[in-house]
Amino acid sequence: MSSPVTDSLILDRLKQLQITHPEIISHSPVKGSAEWSAELSTTAPNLSSVGLTKTLLFKPKTAKTATPTPVLVLAKESTETSSGAIGKLLELKELRLASEDLIKQVFPSAGSKDDVSALALPANPTIDENIHLILDQSLAQSQDQHALHLTASNTTILLKGQDIKSYFDSISKDNAVRLVDFAELKAATPAPSAPTAKPAAKAEVKPAAAQEDDEKYNMAIKYKKEEDFPGWYTDVLIKGQMLDYYDISGCYILRPWSYSIWQTIQTWFDDEIKKLGVQDCYFPMFVSNARLEKEKDHIEGFAPEVAWVTRAGKSELEEPIAIRPTSETVMYPYYAKWINSHRDLPLKLNQWNSVVRWEFKNPQPFLRTREFLWQEGHTAFLTKAEAAKEVMDILDLYRKVYTDLLAVPVIPGKKSENEKFAGGDYTTTVEGFIPTTGRGIQGATSHHLGQNFSKMFDISVESPNKDEGRLLAYQNSWGLSTRSLGVMVMVHGDDQGLVLPPRVALQQVVVVPVGLSKGEGKNQGIYDACLNLERELVKVGIRAKADLREGYTPGWKFNDWEMRGVPLRLELGPRDIAANTTLAVRRYDNHKSPMPLSDIGNTVRSYLDEIQKSMLDKAQEKFDSCLIPVTNWDDVVPTLDAKNILVLPWCEGSQCEDDIKERSKSQATKGQAEDNKAPSAGAKSLCIPFDQDRFGKFPEGENQKCIQCGEKAKSWTMFGRSDGWLVYEGTGTMSWAEGWYNR
Amino acid sequence: MSSPVTDSLILDRLKQLQITHPEIISHSPVKGSAEWSAELSTTAPNLSSVGLTKTLLFKPKTAKTATPTPVLVLAKESTETSSGAIGKLLELKELRLASEDLIKQVFPSAGSKDDVSALALPANPTIDENIHLILDQSLAQSQDQHALHLTASNTTILLKGQDIKSYFDSISKDNAVRLVDFAELKAATPAPSAPTAKPAAKAEVKPAAAQEDDEKYNMAIKYKKEEDFPGWYTDVLIKGQMLDYYDISGCYILRPWSYSIWQTIQTWFDDEIKKLGVQDCYFPMFVSNARLEKEKDHIEGFAPEVAWVTRAGKSELEEPIAIRPTSETVMYPYYAKWINSHRDLPLKLNQWNSVVRWEFKNPQPFLRTREFLWQEGHTAFLTKAEAAKEVMDILDLYRKVYTDLLAVPVIPGKKSENEKFAGGDYTTTVEGFIPTTGRGIQGATSHHLGQNFSKMFDISVESPNKDEGRLLAYQNSWGLSTRSLGVMVMVHGDDQGLVLPPRVALQQVVVVPVGLSKGEGKNQGIYDACLNLERELVKVGIRAKADLREGYTPGWKFNDWEMRGVPLRLELGPRDIAANTTLAVRRYDNHKSPMPLSDIGNTVRSYLDEIQKSMLDKAQEKFDSCLIPVTNWDDVVPTLDAKNILVLPWCEGSQCEDDIKERSKSQATKGQAEDNKAPSAGAKSLCIPFDQDRFGKFPEGENQKCIQCGEKAKSWTMFGRSDGWLVYEGTGTMSWAEGWYNR
């Protein structure tokens, strides 16, 4: 193959065509069009309306012995490019998006598929011998500037459509570049049916706004969950309207679709803790330097990520002021002030706020963001027993947030000595699991701080028994953050988009009219029936909405609401109305069943309950099937490689935990072919589950050996891979938000 | 009188006593002990436990012709110093706290009464001829260091009690300093009854913890609302446990007592706006410089008060990042992105968040704080009519927050052209009134922005009518902040402390056991009855609590709960139990009435409703009585001076508004003796009330003249004083939080 094409070479080629000084923008590397667009709007706001392009590399199916000729397509981002139609045009079979290997062959300089740019093609005579090049005709004929990458996704060049065509003509043989009118091509090819449109839908009206409709089909999720998990995750969040990118890296906009879920969690959890006697309050977001630095060990963990305000208006502040990364040093001095008598205990305060940690690592929506929303509870008790009870009460509420609201299974347990919050006595956690990556994820933590902080801040009272002198309070702290929303999306979402559990979905049911007729006014009866159905549902407290938008086909609407994860779709057409039924389609498994319209409110309500339960059961089953008790070391790495969580008989020793990590890491280089980003991840402890019996009989007597050191094992402990995408260094789990304690 | 005593002179005097290098701390000026203590804990955290002192100057009643000899008392802050007992001791009549004039005579260097320090007394032979000096014996005999001011409230010196005595001995004639044992003095004097204790209470047990009890009596509100409104306000908030001072100036801790009120407002308002189709979301707290500066006019108003993050960990940021002072420039770029089709309208978003404005003026709890909580609604519509309707819908919700939740009367109206949000088309407001200061206060504002921002940010859609081209959206914005809590406190609070309306009180009812007997176990029956009563109330949804704390007298408890503003106290003793009644005492007017215990839940529920209504009625009556229609210019200044709001026939002209301000200012120097801090305040427009009829028949024909220019008047318009304490420059009203728009 030829040597890599550089940015300079591309610019030289352009220069020879008299295209000089094209606009070039440097920015952060981007994945997909949403990020690209966001980056451009940040770095060059004036270009926010410039058209994006996409470069697609396909591999046709060939006999095993033959060398396939790849197909490169450069088109407007908005053009619908059907691989089926292209294959047909070129008389090639089953075009599939190219593997990383093939990408590397064609574009040696590309670090990943995100860097693929048609501009970086090697020169003549490669084209049309080694590769087919297809250019979107509407792009090639455009006088408008369009955005392309140079040789990597962190650089954007703006070129007129016509200049792009000239460029490819200049580096290929005559007529080697094929111009394709994709709209025409599509018209000439039998259209693939909309992902979930029923056959009946085809007979329906294609509205006047057909072109818009076609464009919107491109809004479907572009990545497969199993193939490109990070790309899928971002795409699902943005297209599902959970969030939007923001022009400050690491900050995201929580749109109503996600914020409403957080509000549901807030309302439920706040009610529950109030029953426990916890009161809400609000402490300032600012912390003075002196306070922050009071406890050196405490600050050490997060000092590198504290954001500092140093200026107000044009005045430099005398002392820089920190934005709280958490509120221990903010709150505890006042606990010392307020708590004087044993009558002042217990003191149980909670606040719902945002905290800031200026991470320099790659941000991830919900999981690692520079500002995030959470609740932090801080309580103080006269006795250790009361505090210990509360730790478990709160942990159980966290479990219920996950299982009962988000339909996400978690396992409550205790953190190992290595993994606990260093400032406390012990840490309890609810541990989740992302099947796609095979990794554990910390859901929320409830810490018993013992008297460590009360000693430090002098939170003490006269003993009620006069002769005991002063007693230090026993303290807890506990937190749950918006990362829980990210976990929910990762567990339930699928290739069609979000899948929301009914209990937290802002919209639980969408009613879609089907079987519409052409001609104005003809569908009023169906629309009325849909509105009536909506009313019936709303009346019994179901969050339902009829989608009567004109200009969209039912198929488009199905797709749209699937992408947004609405738990239940009710279709209503003339035949349904005649039969006094509606077709109910469950989002999470696409199961379809007719449902009588009489008493529809109650029917749907129990159906939603059933869906909620089934989603949890399904996820629970998957989690359970991936919790593998292993007593033989030889099974450790293969079990990890198969995306499982290990359940090991373990002595609970710190050194032994380090050894397990090292040993599994050194043996783990082979089996990782499918997960390049974590080539040598070792296993760390996730938690020691409180329910030990779920893993069956604990080995006894002679067999009761720690899998690593051979000493007597104390418990079944969950171990799993930790680093790699979506997982952070140093903690063993995705423990950023609450788990920063653990560092 | 002698010349002022300086700090150096005081230090010289000490030096002559061999007291060298005493610890001296500089800090911000303080009012009262709460602030002093807060300042010390900030500037010298190691001294947080040092005892404070208080210096009190009294004037005895004398014949008009005689010159009174003032009495100066220096005591521990915690010592109960009864002026009655002192008077008795010195055989003087009716000691009253000295006026500012007398203070200036004795302490010429004191800027205000906060600067009064006994150390600054002129030297021998003044003492005991011109002044009586009384020293708290427990202070004089103490080896501990105590805090005193030097010659002003911004300096603290630490001296041992015995050194303090030496100091005064050195500057006075022999035995001129009187040592007083206040505890003994009190015992020898008939004790004044607890503020609201019934006579019966005297017969009750004085518990073992009597000393603690006495100390706690000192916790009563120290300022009179009418005499020292700012001092009273701060004292009520802190002792009522609404908030606490924080070690960063201008930031306050919202304790559960106040935060729960905010949550009640949140819950109610959020429900209401959701009915209007508004959705909640969360935008990041950070704004990039580029975004903030996009709209020059917009930023100009608040640029001097923007807090800037310039550093994260040890890294300087490439670009400083602002903390949002409000979210227009944060949100509207995304509105432009999300709104493409007329189908995307209306877009109605709201967020509950905190914003930061780094004010350099004197901060005031709730009213002017550097971080505050609010909601900001931002909506966009296809038509002006829809937007205009929403402006009024929201304003009516704001009205209800004040009247229905906080029992605070407000008047809805429109702002004048001078006072409206400059960036919008028009501003509507609910205007409140603080009778104690006679000033208007802006409650919340709902703005119609017209197309000003949509033009700026290109928030536009294709018209549904094809030939109209693109249409700019019509926008509104509206905000309500925690300042509403401050208004509530100022309107309802009294000399005993907070007075909370039942609907928002975290605790609506306190049950207090009375008529207790000596001896352990004897009162179990009463306690049980109290708990039972609590249960009955809680059962029907009333937030009630029985106060069974041991070691406190009923009188102490009455005082405690009065200070905290609990709307209803139910007393329960043996006689009540025998009669199957409870004595109900209303906080807001101290009205007492027995209440049958049968069906007590329902009785109390309607009683609380009645209290809620009466509190509003009472405040409304006061407001109404201070709204004075004035048609003759000669009445303008006297009406203002009598702490009223003017209702003027006005032409609504901007120049005329300026003229009214100037004219009322220049005439206003005379009548302001009692309000030194606002010696020359002019009147500005507060709002043009929507309900014009409430002020009676509008002058007609010849008489329909603008009070200032004589041209034809358009409306009755409310005008009032604006500057001075608790009111901010430039806005005409206390319009900081929402009203910063108006600048």
Side-chain angles (χ1 to χ4, degrees):
Chain A
M1 295 286 316
S2 52
S3 63
V5 174
T6 62
D7 287 356
S8 313
L9 177 56
I10 295 173
L11 296 178
D12 277 349
R13 287 170 178 176
L14 287 168
K15 213 170 192 175
Q16 286 168 20
L17 299 167
Q18 314 296 328
I19 305 164
T20 52
H21 307 302
E23 186 152 6
I24 293 171
I25 304 119
S26 296
H27 46 74
S28 302
V30 295
K31 274 176 186 295
S33 58
E35 283 194 23
W36 193 4
S37 169
E39 271 298 325
L40 285 183
S41 74
T42 310
T43 48
N46 54 318
L47 300 180
S48 58
S49 64
V50 82
L52 300 185
T53 61
K54 59 185 171 189
T55 303
L56 304 167
L57 187 65
F58 295 101
K59 175 182 158 297
K61 192 177 184 184
T62 48
K64 279 190 180 164
T65 49
T67 306
T69 304
V71 179
L72 186 71
V73 177
L74 175 61
K76 287 183 177 175
E77 167 64 25
S78 57
T79 299
E80 190 186 350
T81 52
S82 149
S83 59
I86 299 169
K88 198 142 187 158
L89 176 74
L90 298 176
E91 297 181 343
L92 294 169
K93 270 189 198 163
E94 293 183 29
L95 292 189
R96 289 281 174 270
L97 280 173
S99 67
E100 293 267 339
D101 282 352
L102 182 57
I103 288 173
K104 287 272 180 196
Q105 272 179 42
V106 181
F107 299 100
S109 65
S112 80
K113 70 174 172 40
D114 302 310
D115 297 319
V116 166
S117 165
L119 296 179
L121 264 189
N124 177 7
T126 330
I127 289 176
D128 223 27
E129 291 181 4
N130 294 344
I131 195 165
H132 299 291
L133 176 58
I134 289 180
L135 191 57
D136 178 358
Q137 184 176 297
S138 72
L139 176 63
Q141 296 176 347
S142 167
Q143 276 286 357
D144 292 339
Q145 298 230 308
H146 283 80
L148 296 86
H149 291 310
L150 282 172
T151 60
S153 76
N154 64 359
T155 317
T156 296
I157 182 171
L158 298 188
L159 293 173
K160 287 182 187 169
Q162 296 182 345
D163 290 343
I164 294 172
K165 176 161 189 308
S166 308
Y167 177 91
F168 287 110
D169 285 342
S170 79
I171 62 167
S172 61
K173 289 192 297 188
D174 287 353
N175 301 321
V177 179
R178 297 191 191 213
L179 292 194
V180 172
D181 179 338
F182 282 99
E184 191 180 281
L185 182 67
K186 190 190 169 197
T189 317
S193 55
T196 58
K198 291 186 304 176
K202 284 190 191 161
E204 286 159 13
V205 194
K206 181 85 171 178
Q211 196 188 344
E212 182 180 357
D213 208 283
D214 287 346
E215 268 170 31
K216 297 272 177 160
Y217 266 113
N218 278 313
M219 290 297 291
I221 305 303
K222 287 200 179 140
Y223 304 86
K224 302 280 178 207
K225 189 176 185 185
E226 291 293 335
E227 286 172 9
D228 184 346
F229 189 53
W232 170 86
Y233 178 63
T234 310
D235 209 26
V236 160
L237 289 179
I238 289 180
K239 292 193 179 140
Q241 299 188 19
M242 292 283 274
L243 53 75
D244 212 331
Y245 275 77
Y246 189 67
D247 79 325
I248 292 173
S249 174
C251 294
Y252 303 90
I253 299 161
L254 298 191
R255 301 184 69 178
W257 210 247
S258 65
Y259 191 78
S260 62
I261 300 177
W262 183 239
Q263 280 188 317
T264 302
I265 293 174
Q266 283 189 303
T267 304
W268 183 85
F269 186 77
D270 208 57
D271 271 4
E272 293 296 323
I273 59 176
K274 277 178 179 160
K275 289 180 203 160
L276 296 177
V278 178
Q279 296 186 313
D280 287 330
C281 62
Y282 188 81
F283 278 73
M285 70 153 89
F286 297 113
V287 202
S288 67
N289 200 4
R291 282 275 161 81
L292 198 65
E293 286 188 345
K294 181 167 182 184
E295 216 298 272
K296 296 284 176 203
D297 292 344
H298 183 68
I299 198 192
E300 225 168 54
F302 55 80
E305 292 163 358
V306 169
W308 292 93
V309 175
T310 63
R311 187 151 60 83
K314 290 192 185 306
S315 316
E316 294 295 323
L317 300 184
E318 279 182 33
E319 278 268 349
I321 290 174
I323 303 178
R324 64 178 159 220
T326 179
S327 302
E328 276 78 4
T329 55
V330 172
M331 294 171 84
Y332 293 170
Y334 297 91
Y335 280 46
K337 181 178 167 191
W338 296 333
I339 296 172
N340 296 302
S341 152
H342 62 89
R343 293 191 193 96
D344 301 324
L345 292 175
L347 179 64
K348 307 182 189 180
L349 296 183
N350 175 65
Q351 55 181 347
W352 296 95
N353 57 7
S354 80
V355 290
V356 170
R357 308 200 67 217
W358 209 265
E359 293 261 4
F360 290 95
K361 293 179 206 164
N362 198 23
Q364 290 296 345
F366 292 123
L367 301 189
R368 181 160 45 193
T369 61
R370 285 177 168 173
E371 179 191 7
F372 64 91
L373 304 180
W374 76 348
Q375 62 65 221
E376 46 178 331
H378 296 269
T379 53
F381 298 86
L382 188 62
T383 67
K384 189 178 174 68
E386 288 170 279
K389 180 176 183 312
E390 192 210 50
V391 166
M392 295 303 289
D393 286 345
I394 295 294
L395 193 72
D396 202 49
L397 294 180
Y398 287 154
R399 178 185 66 75
K400 285 180 178 163
V401 166
Y402 275 97
T403 58
D404 298 4
L405 299 183
L406 303 174
V408 168
V410 287
I411 294 184
K414 198 171 152 179
K415 285 283 181 188
S416 70
E417 281 300 302
N418 283 8
E419 296 292 322
K420 77 169 188 187
F421 170 33
D425 269 15
Y426 59 86
T427 292
T428 66
T429 175
V430 288
E431 292 286 319
F433 174 64
I434 309 300
T436 317
T437 57
R439 291 167 195 228
I441 181 160
Q442 183 173 298
T445 46
S446 177
H447 308 288
H448 177 53
L449 307 180
Q451 296 176 311
N452 304 337
F453 280 86
S454 58
K455 204 173 295 168
M456 198 180 307
F457 288 91
D458 188 24
I459 303 170
S460 64
V461 300
E462 274 312 320
S463 164
N465 309 321
K466 297 285 174 194
D467 33 337
E468 282 185 347
R470 288 191 82 74
L471 299 175
L472 291 169
Y474 291 89
Q475 292 181 269
N476 296 335
S477 72
W478 28 274
L480 169 78
S481 80
T482 37
R483 76 190 319 239
S484 51
L485 275 58
V487 178
M488 178 200 70
V489 170
M490 290 191 284
V491 167
H492 291 302
D494 63 21
D495 288 346
Q496 274 67 56
L498 292 172
V499 181
L500 299 178
R503 238 182 117 172
V504 296
L506 179 56
Q507 187 175 332
Q508 298 173 309
V509 176
V510 61
V511 179
V512 180
V514 298
L516 302 175
S517 311
K518 277 187 197 177
E520 207 151 303
K522 284 200 172 171
N523 297 310
Q524 199 53 48
I526 302 177
Y527 290 166
D528 288 347
C530 288
L531 284 174
N532 198 39
L533 178 50
E534 174 192 306
R535 261 192 304 271
E536 287 291 312
L537 298 173
V538 168
K539 213 163 61 186
V540 297
I542 294 164
R543 298 185 289 276
K545 214 165 162 43
D547 180 358
L548 303 186
R549 286 178 289 179
E550 305 254 5
Y552 297 91
T553 62
W556 185 89
K557 289 178 181 174
F558 297 171
N559 185 54
D560 191 42
W561 292 109
E562 278 170 3
M563 202 154 61
R564 302 196 64 189
V566 169
L568 185 64
R569 178 173 82 231
L570 297 180
E571 302 175 14
L572 206 54
R575 271 176 297 181
D576 306 293
I577 294 171
N580 201 33
T581 60
T582 174
L583 187 70
V585 185
R586 294 199 294 238
R587 173 65 184 88
Y588 87 95
D589 66 352
N590 207 32
H591 174 83
K592 293 171 181 152
S593 57
M595 201 173 259
L597 284 173
S598 58
D599 200 26
I600 187 72
N602 287 319
T603 311
V604 167
R605 200 156 48 183
S606 12
Y607 203 56
L608 289 175
D609 288 348
E610 215 178 294
I611 291 173
Q612 178 84 26
K613 186 176 175 308
S614 306
M615 285 180 66
L616 175 62
D617 289 347
K618 185 181 162 190
Q620 184 74 57
E621 215 168 285
K622 179 67 191 168
F623 194 173
D624 288 346
S625 75
C626 294
L627 281 167
I628 314 288
V630 167
T631 51
N632 181 344
W633 183 270
D634 292 344
D635 297 333
V636 163
V637 172
T639 304
L640 286 176
D641 286 351
K643 297 187 177 173
N644 293 306
I645 300 288
L646 299 164
V647 182
L648 306 179
W650 181 46
C651 66
E652 299 187 10
S654 289
Q655 182 56 46
C656 195
E657 173 161 8
D658 292 343
D659 292 344
I660 290 172
K661 189 187 172 197
E662 271 312 302
R663 191 169 165 196
S664 56
K665 181 177 172 178
S666 59
Q667 296 179 349
T669 41
K670 279 283 183 198
Q672 290 282 318
E674 58 180 330
D675 190 357
N676 288 318
K677 285 168 188 162
S680 58
K684 294 172 105 176
S685 82
L686 303 175
C687 77
I688 304 164
F690 292 124
D691 177 8
Q692 288 278 312
D693 296 340
R694 65 182 300 152
F695 306 114
K697 205 170 148 58
F698 198 64
E700 280 181 355
E702 265 304 287
N703 295 322
Q704 192 183 341
K705 280 181 185 160
C706 172
I707 193 164
Q708 163 61 22
C709 67
E711 296 296 310
K712 187 171 176 185
K714 287 189 183 162
S715 62
W716 288 119
T717 301
M718 288 161 55
F719 277 78
R721 285 254 166 73
S722 59
D723 47 347
W725 189 77
L726 279 182
V727 186
Y728 310 110
E729 285 162 29
T731 67
T733 50
M734 294 197 278
S735 57
W736 172 58
E738 303 85 325
W740 69 269
Y741 285 131
N742 294 346
R743 292 174 173 218
Chain B
M1 295 289 316
S2 51
S3 63
V5 173
T6 62
D7 287 356
S8 315
L9 176 57
I10 295 173
L11 296 179
D12 277 350
R13 289 172 176 173
L14 287 168
K15 214 172 192 169
Q16 287 170 23
L17 298 167
Q18 315 296 328
I19 304 165
T20 52
H21 307 300
E23 185 152 8
I24 293 171
I25 304 121
S26 296
H27 46 72
S28 302
V30 295
K31 273 178 188 295
S33 60
E35 281 193 24
W36 192 6
S37 169
E39 271 299 324
L40 284 181
S41 74
T42 309
T43 48
N46 54 317
L47 300 180
S48 58
S49 63
V50 82
L52 301 185
T53 61
K54 58 185 172 189
T55 301
L56 304 168
L57 187 66
F58 295 100
K59 173 182 160 295
K61 194 177 181 183
T62 49
K64 278 190 181 164
T65 48
T67 306
T69 304
V71 179
L72 187 70
V73 177
L74 175 60
K76 286 184 181 176
E77 167 63 25
S78 57
T79 298
E80 190 184 351
T81 52
S82 149
S83 59
I86 298 169
K88 199 143 187 156
L89 178 74
L90 298 175
E91 298 180 343
L92 293 169
K93 271 190 198 163
E94 294 183 29
L95 291 190
R96 290 280 174 269
L97 279 173
S99 67
E100 293 266 338
D101 282 353
L102 181 57
I103 288 172
K104 287 269 179 200
Q105 273 180 41
V106 181
F107 298 100
S109 66
S112 80
K113 71 174 171 40
D114 303 309
D115 298 319
V116 166
S117 165
L119 296 180
L121 266 187
N124 177 13
T126 329
I127 290 177
D128 223 28
E129 291 183 4
N130 294 343
I131 194 164
H132 300 292
L133 177 57
I134 290 181
L135 192 56
D136 177 356
Q137 183 175 297
S138 72
L139 176 63
Q141 296 178 347
S142 168
Q143 276 286 359
D144 293 338
Q145 298 230 305
H146 283 78
L148 297 87
H149 292 309
L150 282 173
T151 59
S153 76
N154 64 359
T155 318
T156 297
I157 183 170
L158 298 189
L159 293 172
K160 288 182 188 171
Q162 296 182 345
D163 290 343
I164 294 172
K165 175 159 191 311
S166 310
Y167 177 91
F168 287 110
D169 285 341
S170 78
I171 61 167
S172 59
K173 289 191 297 190
D174 286 352
N175 300 322
V177 179
R178 299 192 189 210
L179 291 194
V180 171
D181 180 338
F182 282 99
E184 190 181 281
L185 182 66
K186 191 189 168 197
T189 317
S193 56
T196 57
K198 290 185 307 171
K202 283 189 193 163
E204 287 157 11
V205 194
K206 180 87 173 179
Q211 195 187 347
E212 182 180 359
D213 209 283
D214 286 346
E215 267 171 30
K216 297 271 179 163
Y217 267 115
N218 280 312
M219 290 297 291
I221 306 303
K222 286 198 177 139
Y223 304 86
K224 302 280 180 209
K225 188 177 183 184
E226 293 292 335
E227 286 172 7
D228 184 347
F229 190 53
W232 169 86
Y233 178 63
T234 311
D235 208 27
V236 160
L237 290 178
I238 290 180
K239 293 195 178 136
Q241 299 189 19
M242 292 283 274
L243 52 77
D244 211 332
Y245 275 77
Y246 189 67
D247 78 327
I248 294 175
S249 171
C251 294
Y252 303 90
I253 299 162
L254 299 191
R255 301 184 70 178
W257 210 246
S258 65
Y259 191 78
S260 62
I261 299 177
W262 184 237
Q263 280 188 317
T264 301
I265 294 175
Q266 282 190 306
T267 304
W268 184 86
F269 187 76
D270 209 56
D271 271 3
E272 292 296 323
I273 59 175
K274 278 179 178 158
K275 288 180 201 160
L276 296 178
V278 178
Q279 297 186 312
D280 286 331
C281 62
Y282 189 80
F283 278 73
M285 71 155 85
F286 296 114
V287 202
S288 67
N289 199 3
R291 282 274 162 81
L292 197 65
E293 286 188 343
K294 182 168 181 182
E295 218 296 276
K296 297 280 174 204
D297 292 345
H298 182 69
I299 198 192
E300 225 168 55
F302 55 81
E305 292 163 357
V306 169
W308 293 94
V309 175
T310 63
R311 187 150 59 83
K314 291 191 186 300
S315 316
E316 295 294 325
L317 300 185
E318 281 182 30
E319 278 266 351
I321 289 174
I323 303 179
R324 65 180 158 218
T326 178
S327 302
E328 277 77 5
T329 57
V330 172
M331 295 171 84
Y332 294 170
Y334 296 93
Y335 280 45
K337 183 180 167 190
W338 295 333
I339 297 172
N340 296 300
S341 151
H342 62 88
R343 293 192 194 95
D344 300 325
L345 291 175
L347 179 65
K348 306 182 189 180
L349 297 182
N350 175 65
Q351 55 181 347
W352 295 97
N353 56 7
S354 81
V355 289
V356 171
R357 308 200 65 217
W358 208 265
E359 293 260 5
F360 289 94
K361 294 178 206 164
N362 197 25
Q364 290 297 344
F366 293 123
L367 302 188
R368 182 159 46 192
T369 62
R370 284 177 170 173
E371 180 192 6
F372 63 91
L373 304 179
W374 76 349
Q375 61 66 221
E376 47 178 330
H378 296 269
T379 53
F381 298 86
L382 188 61
T383 67
K384 189 179 174 68
E386 288 171 279
K389 179 176 182 315
E390 194 210 49
V391 166
M392 295 303 290
D393 287 345
I394 295 295
L395 192 73
D396 202 48
L397 294 180
Y398 287 154
R399 179 185 64 77
K400 286 179 177 161
V401 165
Y402 276 95
T403 58
D404 297 4
L405 299 182
L406 302 176
V408 168
V410 287
I411 294 185
K414 198 172 152 177
K415 285 283 180 187
S416 71
E417 281 300 302
N418 283 9
E419 295 293 322
K420 76 169 188 185
F421 169 34
D425 269 16
Y426 59 86
T427 291
T428 66
T429 176
V430 287
E431 292 286 320
F433 175 65
I434 309 300
T436 316
T437 58
R439 290 166 196 228
I441 181 161
Q442 182 172 299
T445 46
S446 176
H447 308 289
H448 177 54
L449 308 179
Q451 296 176 312
N452 305 336
F453 280 87
S454 59
K455 204 174 292 168
M456 199 182 305
F457 287 92
D458 189 23
I459 303 171
S460 64
V461 300
E462 274 312 322
S463 164
N465 308 322
K466 296 288 172 191
D467 34 336
E468 282 184 349
R470 287 192 82 76
L471 299 176
L472 290 168
Y474 290 89
Q475 292 181 269
N476 295 334
S477 74
W478 25 275
L480 170 80
S481 80
T482 37
R483 75 191 318 238
S484 50
L485 275 59
V487 178
M488 180 200 69
V489 170
M490 290 192 283
V491 166
H492 291 302
D494 63 22
D495 289 346
Q496 274 67 55
L498 291 173
V499 181
L500 299 178
R503 240 183 115 169
V504 296
L506 179 56
Q507 187 176 331
Q508 298 172 308
V509 176
V510 60
V511 178
V512 180
V514 298
L516 300 176
S517 310
K518 277 188 197 178
E520 206 151 307
K522 285 203 172 168
N523 296 310
Q524 200 53 49
I526 302 177
Y527 290 166
D528 288 346
C530 288
L531 285 174
N532 198 39
L533 178 49
E534 175 191 307
R535 260 193 305 272
E536 288 289 313
L537 298 173
V538 168
K539 212 164 61 185
V540 296
I542 294 165
R543 299 185 289 276
K545 212 161 164 45
D547 181 357
L548 304 186
R549 286 177 289 179
E550 304 254 5
Y552 297 91
T553 61
W556 186 90
K557 289 179 182 175
F558 297 170
N559 186 53
D560 193 42
W561 293 110
E562 278 169 3
M563 202 156 58
R564 302 197 64 191
V566 169
L568 186 64
R569 177 173 84 231
L570 296 180
E571 302 175 14
L572 206 53
R575 271 176 295 180
D576 305 292
I577 296 171
N580 199 35
T581 60
T582 173
L583 187 70
V585 185
R586 294 199 295 236
R587 173 65 183 89
Y588 86 95
D589 65 352
N590 206 31
H591 174 83
K592 294 172 181 152
S593 57
M595 201 175 261
L597 282 173
S598 58
D599 199 26
I600 186 73
N602 287 319
T603 311
V604 168
R605 200 155 49 181
S606 12
Y607 204 57
L608 290 175
D609 289 347
E610 214 178 294
I611 291 175
Q612 178 83 26
K613 187 176 173 308
S614 306
M615 284 180 67
L616 175 62
D617 289 348
K618 183 180 162 191
Q620 183 75 57
E621 212 168 288
K622 179 67 190 169
F623 193 173
D624 288 345
S625 75
C626 295
L627 280 167
I628 313 288
V630 168
T631 50
N632 182 343
W633 181 271
D634 291 345
D635 296 334
V636 163
V637 172
T639 305
L640 286 176
D641 286 350
K643 296 188 179 172
N644 292 306
I645 299 288
L646 299 165
V647 182
L648 305 179
W650 181 45
C651 67
E652 297 186 14
S654 290
Q655 180 57 46
C656 194
E657 173 159 9
D658 292 343
D659 292 345
I660 290 172
K661 189 184 172 198
E662 271 312 301
R663 194 171 163 194
S664 57
K665 181 177 171 179
S666 59
Q667 297 179 351
T669 40
K670 279 282 182 199
Q672 292 283 316
E674 57 182 328
D675 190 354
N676 287 318
K677 283 167 191 163
S680 59
K684 295 171 103 178
S685 82
L686 303 174
C687 76
I688 305 164
F690 291 124
D691 177 9
Q692 288 278 312
D693 296 340
R694 68 182 298 152
F695 305 114
K697 207 170 147 58
F698 197 64
E700 282 181 356
E702 265 304 286
N703 296 322
Q704 191 183 340
K705 279 183 185 161
C706 171
I707 193 162
Q708 164 60 22
C709 67
E711 296 295 311
K712 187 172 175 183
K714 287 189 182 162
S715 62
W716 286 121
T717 301
M718 286 161 57
F719 277 77
R721 285 254 166 73
S722 59
D723 48 347
W725 189 77
L726 280 183
V727 187
Y728 308 110
E729 286 162 28
T731 66
T733 50
M734 292 198 279
S735 57
W736 172 58
E738 304 86 320
W740 68 268
Y741 285 131
N742 294 347
R743 293 178 170 211

